[in-house]
């Protein structure tokens, strides 16, 4: 079963099989790829194979090779798709590290900017530039383990202490409430509740 996902010029093919024999699954997978390659050629389209990646969601225990036409696909352990780093074990640790680096840059900006602008400006900076970084894809990367969210919580609190000129060990829970700021963990549950509500109302599309 092939499930294509298209967004702008990005395309993703998810091929799933419930086969107990791995070799049979890989054979069918290769056949599906050749069918896709044939469809591309018939419709006079092109695919940049060197920039295409293949990532089997299974333990890496032996060499695998898959081809699109006459060119071999690159087997990857990590793929960035629509801004999210996806690994073959779906642990999202690499994506968390990626987010921590982005938050680190914002911490650097805040640490300098706070001496020249008001607190309200800093809070707007957080809502416009930092919150979207945490919020985007949180239902995907946040559902694996709360340990991932805890790492982001640490950086979020550090940033908020800088905004409020508080000591490194100060508790900011009440300040979060005062300024209507959700912690990363709370943000995850907020998005989960919204998703569940929309699902119950039938507002989500599976297409």
């Amino acid at each position: 079963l092939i499930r294509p996902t298209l967004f702008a010029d990005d395309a993703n093919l998810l091929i799933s099989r419930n086969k107990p024999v791995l070799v049979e699954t890989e054979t069918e997978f290769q056949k599906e790829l050749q069918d896709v390659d044939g469809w591309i050629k018939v419709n006079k389209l092109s695919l940049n194979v060197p920039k295409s990646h293949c990532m089997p969601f299974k333990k890496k225990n032996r060499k695998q090779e898959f081809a699109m036409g006459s060119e071999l696909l690159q087997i990857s352990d990590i793929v960035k798709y629509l801004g999210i780093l996806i690994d073959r074990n779906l642990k999202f640790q690499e994506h968390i590290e990626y987010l921590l680096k982005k938050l680190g840059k914002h911490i650097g900006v805040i640490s300098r900017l706070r001496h020249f602008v008001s607190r309200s400006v800093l809070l707007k900076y957080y809502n416009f530039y930092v919150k979207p970084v945490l919020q985007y894809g949180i239902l995907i990367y946040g559902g694996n383990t709360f340990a991932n969210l805890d790492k982001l919580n640490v950086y979020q609190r550090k940033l908020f202490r800088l905004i409020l000129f508080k000591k490194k060990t100060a508790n900011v829970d009440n300040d979060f409430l005062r300024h209507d700021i959700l912690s990363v963990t709370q943000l995850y549950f907020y998005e989960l509740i919204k998703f569940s509500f929309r699902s119950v109302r039938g507002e989500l599309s599976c297409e």
Side-chain angles (χ1 to χ4, degrees), residues 25-170:
T25 301
E26 292 180 353
T27 300
E28 292 187 10
F29 178 45
Q30 181 58 68
K31 184 179 181 302
E32 298 280 12
L33 288 177
Q34 295 305 112
D35 290 342
V36 171
D37 181 62
W39 182 88
I40 290 174
K41 291 177 180 177
V42 167
N43 288 275
K44 297 182 179 180
L45 301 174
S46 62
L47 176 69
N48 193 335
V49 177
K51 289 188 177 181
S52 300
H53 299 266
C54 176
M55 186 171 65
F57 291 97
K58 56 177 282 300
K59 291 184 178 180
K60 188 177 180 180
N61 51 14
R62 65 191 187 86
K63 185 178 180 180
Q64 297 169 299
E65 288 187 348
F66 300 103
M68 181 69 76
S70 59
E71 297 183 74
L72 288 177
L73 287 170
Q74 179 181 342
I75 303 295
S76 303
D77 293 328
I78 302 170
V79 173
K80 189 174 185 180
Y81 182 64
L82 299 183
I84 297 179
L85 292 171
I86 304 173
D87 61 278
R88 66 192 302 148
N89 297 313
L90 298 180
K91 293 184 179 297
F92 296 100
Q93 293 178 353
E94 289 79 9
H95 186 69
I96 295 299
E97 293 301 320
Y98 169 72
L99 292 180
L100 291 177
K101 289 180 181 179
K102 295 189 74 171
L103 291 178
K105 292 180 180 179
H106 288 298
I107 288 173
V109 172
I110 291 293
S111 65
R112 293 168 176 79
L113 191 63
R114 65 181 181 149
H115 299 289
F116 305 100
V117 300
S118 66
R119 180 179 296 178
S120 62
V121 171
L122 295 175
L123 290 172
K124 287 179 180 179
Y125 179 95
Y126 172 85
N127 284 315
F128 290 146
Y129 295 104
V130 181
K131 183 181 176 182
V133 171
L134 298 169
Q135 196 167 17
Y136 179 72
I138 195 170
L139 285 181
I140 299 173
Y141 74 78
N144 180 267
T145 170
F146 286 132
N148 284 343
L149 297 182
D150 289 340
K151 295 178 183 178
L152 297 173
N153 275 317
V154 171
Y155 273 61
Q156 182 194 36
R157 290 174 183 277
K158 181 178 180 179
L159 190 149
F160 212 67
R161 290 188 189 101
L162 288 172
I163 292 176
L164 301 177
F165 285 87
K166 292 209 167 189
K167 294 181 179 179
K168 294 181 179 180
T169 57

Side-chain angles (χ1 to χ4, degrees), residues 177-204:
L177 291 173
R178 188 177 302 114
H179 295 286
D180 295 323
I181 301 294
L182 296 177
S183 70
V184 180
T185 304
Q186 291 171 335
L187 190 59
Y188 167 75
F189 282 111
Y190 171 72
E191 292 296 328
L192 182 61
I193 290 171
K194 284 202 309 181
F195 179 86
S196 301
F197 182 74
R198 291 184 61 195
S199 178
V200 170
R201 289 171 60 96
E203 296 176 356
L204 299 177

